[in-house]
Amino acid sequence: MIAIALSFIFFLILFTVVGVYAATQKQDTTTDYLLAGRNVNPWAIALSALSTGQSGFLFTGQVGYAYTQGISSIWLAIGWAIGDYLAWTLVFKRLRQASEASNSETVPAFLAQKQPGSRSIAIVSALITIFFLGTYAAAQLLAGSKALNSLFGWDYAWGIVIGAIIVVLYCFSGGIRASIWTDSVQTIVMIGALILLFIFTMIAGGGVGNLYSNLGKIDPNLTALFPSDLAWGFVPFLIGWLVAGFGAVGQPHIVVRAMALDSADNMGKARDIRTICGIITAFAAISIGLAGRVLLPSINDPELALLDLSQELLPGILVGVMLAGLFAATISTADSQILSCSAALTQDLFPGLAKSYKYAKIGTLVVTAIVLVIALANNDSVFGLITFAWSILASGLGVLLILRSYNKPVSTPVAIAMMIFGIAVSMFWKLGLGLSSAVYEVLPGMLAGFLVYLIGSLLMPTNQTQINSKNQ
């Protein structure tokens, strides 16, 4: 246990040192705090986007999903990867150009576009960001606390509080620059930890063939390539996860990284790095979950399969590496999300504070307190919390962001209706109709937003002056 703790502490110190160094590069301006001066290189953007996008979902949610669903869980990873690639290809380059042209430093500001009634758009989108991205951040703290509980037996509350304190330190050290830099180092640790455990589980399980055979003996459905209990069949199921990946366009903590890239021309490079690394980590996590089902068939919480396997197969010092990888992944996402929420609070809900560096930090403290309360009051599965928050953000913000990136005119009433109706349809699809297992709710939610836009364009034409896009 001492070796685990020492290894874990070593990596936490390493991440802290990176954050402190990032602080030496900062400027005390809101632009630097929120967007790192729009001069971050594509490698850092790619690694940071991967870490903040996969996070606790990868180490706990996706491993647990593979543990319970079997080989068919690969379609979540495949569909998500394709959709994410399309988001970076079709939207993020245009977003980088359009956000700089409009001098937008936050996602709500970009969605508002300073048109008549824009304050209403900024307020609604900021509230969506704070509430649902805050819930998403709470899920990260929960994932981290699960890890600490599994290894050290700590109460969930202690892990959540420790995670919140570390998040504040990261945010205060240098804003999004510190977040991106520490994310990059954390991603390297995350990839190394997953590959390490993947190798050990394959050896312990007797190789791929033996693991496959034993999965079939436990339950033949675990070896089925296609899920057998889909209400509408495989194609709608896969399309649902593909659109879920494309839903990255509605995630402020990911979108802001595209806005911080040093040049729109480097977006393709950042996309390719992020995609390759993401495929490696996703399939490693799925393989670990499948191996866990064979090697540890009766664990209480499938979302802790990765850590349970680590304790069974790895020496103490390497268990600490795994814990550091998991904890780093959750913290890297939580600090990014809290920064996005605090930006929405101080820049969009209360624009009078927009240029105050001091109030930007106070906003971070306020948001962290809100997220802490949500996390302490919730013990749901990490997978469920994250997929729900992701779908709401994609449905509420994603469609309008796409239209703004392409410089399409959207009147204020239509913009607000798109956000509200998209969220309502997504929530009703999941909670009212219970159809998420057939088609993930991002698809109907985003389709609803586009439908409102088409109807609104016909009924409420606008002559809104568009952002000059001659450089696109």
Side-chain angles (χ1 to χ4, degrees):
M1 191 62 69
I2 294 176
I4 296 174
L6 289 175
S7 177
F8 176 58
I9 292 171
F10 169 79
F11 281 101
L12 285 185
I13 293 173
L14 173 63
F15 302 146
T16 302
V17 169
V18 173
V20 170
Y21 178 72
T24 66
Q25 309 299 308
K26 72 178 182 179
Q27 300 176 22
D28 291 340
T29 65
T30 54
T31 300
D32 192 79
Y33 189 71
L34 300 175
L35 288 180
R38 299 185 194 267
N39 64 358
V40 184
N41 72 71
W43 274 95
I45 290 294
L47 295 176
S48 176
L50 174 65
S51 182
T52 198
Q54 291 192 327
S55 62
F57 175 77
L58 180 75
F59 277 82
T60 55
Q62 198 157 9
V63 170
Y65 184 71
Y67 185 99
T68 57
Q69 298 299 313
I71 290 175
S72 64
S73 61
I74 64 170
W75 296 113
L76 184 155
I78 292 173
W80 205 293
I82 294 172
D84 186 83
Y85 186 90
L86 291 175
W88 283 76
T89 301
L90 301 177
V91 180
F92 282 0
K93 181 176 181 179
R94 289 177 175 272
L95 165 68
R96 172 63 179 81
Q97 294 169 326
S99 64
E100 184 173 27
S102 62
N103 196 30
S104 302
E105 296 180 354
T106 67
V107 172
F110 179 66
L111 298 179
Q113 292 287 292
K114 298 179 181 179
Q115 67 187 52
S118 61
R119 280 290 297 141
S120 299
I121 300 175
I123 290 171
V124 172
S125 56
L127 289 173
I128 292 170
T129 298
I130 293 169
F131 186 78
F132 292 105
L133 195 60
T135 301
Y136 198 155
Q140 304 306 321
L141 297 182
L142 177 61
S145 71
K146 278 192 172 188
L148 296 176
N149 171 268
S150 174
L151 288 181
F152 302 129
W154 294 358
D155 186 86
Y156 278 3
W158 278 109
I160 290 170
V161 171
I162 290 171
I165 292 172
I166 294 174
V167 163
V168 170
L169 292 176
Y170 279 2
C171 292
F172 274 25
S173 65
I176 197 171
R177 187 187 305 279
S179 176
I180 290 174
W181 286 20
T182 53
D183 282 358
S184 300
V185 177
Q186 289 163 350
T187 301
I188 295 170
V189 174
M190 183 175 77
I191 293 173
L194 284 170
I195 293 176
L196 178 70
L197 186 57
F198 167 76
I199 293 171
F200 272 82
T201 54
M202 290 301 106
I203 294 172
V208 175
N210 195 49
L211 283 170
Y212 180 86
S213 175
N214 287 325
L215 272 175
K217 292 177 182 177
I218 294 172
D219 184 349
N221 288 326
L222 294 174
T223 58
L225 183 60
F226 304 101
S228 59
D229 56 349
L230 299 177
W232 295 352
F234 174 72
V235 174
F237 171 78
L238 178 61
I239 292 175
W241 285 121
L242 188 153
V243 177
F246 188 72
V249 298
Q251 312 305 315
H253 59 299
I254 297 175
V255 166
V256 74
R257 277 150 176 74
M259 294 167 64
L261 184 62
D262 56 7
S263 170
D265 294 333
N266 287 329
M267 195 65 71
K269 182 177 181 180
R271 174 203 62 203
D272 293 344
I273 296 169
R274 187 252 175 268
T275 301
I276 293 170
C277 293
I279 290 173
I280 292 172
T281 54
F283 278 90
I286 289 171
S287 299
I288 291 168
L290 296 175
R293 186 62 183 266
V294 172
L295 299 172
L296 301 172
S298 57
I299 59 177
N300 293 325
D301 186 349
E303 292 193 335
L304 294 176
L306 181 142
L307 286 176
D308 289 347
L309 279 172
S310 298
Q311 294 180 81
E312 287 286 330
L313 303 177
L314 302 179
I317 192 168
L318 295 183
V319 176
V321 175
M322 290 303 306
L323 177 60
L326 192 160
F327 202 73
T330 62
I331 296 303
S332 69
T333 300
D335 67 1
S336 304
Q337 292 166 332
I338 286 174
L339 277 172
S340 292
C341 290
S342 65
L345 178 67
T346 60
Q347 308 296 301
D348 303 299
L349 277 185
F350 301 102
L353 309 178
K355 297 303 178 183
S356 171
Y357 182 65
K358 179 182 73 173
Y359 281 114
K361 287 194 167 186
I362 292 175
T364 300
L365 282 176
V366 171
V367 170
T368 303
I370 295 172
V371 169
L372 185 61
V373 170
I374 295 173
L376 290 172
N378 203 320
N379 61 359
D380 289 346
S381 77
V382 174
F383 184 87
L385 278 174
I386 290 177
T387 53
F388 179 68
W390 181 281
S391 67
I392 295 298
L393 291 165
S395 302
L397 305 179
V399 178
L400 182 57
L401 184 134
I402 293 170
L403 296 172
R404 294 301 197 201
S405 297
Y406 277 81
N407 294 314
K408 298 297 182 182
V410 185
S411 67
T412 296
V414 171
I416 294 174
M418 287 169 58
M419 291 187 284
I420 294 175
F421 193 61
I423 289 174
V425 169
S426 178
M427 293 182 70
F428 183 67
W429 189 268
K430 178 180 179 66
L431 303 176
L433 299 177
L435 293 175
S436 294
S437 59
V439 176
Y440 183 41
E441 61 266 19
V442 170
L443 178 57
M446 293 190 75
L447 285 177
F450 275 116
L451 179 61
V452 171
Y453 168 68
L454 292 175
I455 294 174
S457 298
L458 295 174
L459 299 180
M460 303 179 66
T462 178
N463 294 318
Q464 174 191 352
T465 301
Q466 296 302 293
I467 299 170
N468 186 351
S469 58
K470 64 182 179 181
N471 61 335
Q472 298 188 22

